[in-house]
Amino acid sequence: SARQLERAFNVETGMSVMAFSRDLRLKYAQWLLGHSEWTIAAIAQECGFADSSHFGRLFRRHLGLSPSSVRRGSASSRAP
């Protein structure tokens, strides 16, 4: 059953399927912020978040930085 699969996933990874999925989407968003010129709203949509403010809150909560500060940091590290 789905519930048994969720329990087995939690035992193996130490996290729920939802938490794993969210973390994966946030890591992808972090990569996009550093490697694309997409707007933050477009990145939020691409990564499956309802809107950019929800994305920003989760991003800040899980990574400790705002999406715009990650983008600025990435841009300065790419500058010659």
Side-chain angles (χ1 to χ4, degrees):
S1 74
R3 182 64 188 130
Q4 287 176 319
L5 180 60
E6 289 172 3
R7 276 194 290 270
F9 188 90
N10 194 320
V11 167
E12 289 297 316
T13 64
M15 59 191 337
S16 71
V17 174
M18 291 292 288
F20 183 84
S21 172
R22 182 190 56 237
D23 288 352
L24 192 61
R25 292 183 299 138
L26 287 168
K27 287 177 184 172
Y28 178 47
Q30 185 177 18
W31 185 87
L32 285 173
L33 286 166
H35 293 88
S36 76
E37 297 299 320
W38 290 4
T39 65
I40 292 173
I43 290 172
Q45 184 177 11
E46 169 70 14
C47 295
F49 294 97
D51 56 53
S52 57
S53 62
H54 178 241
F55 165 66
R57 282 191 307 274
L58 285 175
F59 193 93
R60 201 172 297 111
R61 186 180 309 148
H62 288 276
L63 299 171
L65 298 166
S66 69
S68 58
S69 67
V70 169
R71 163 134 310 148
R72 281 192 305 269
S74 295
S76 65
S77 67
R78 286 188 302 219

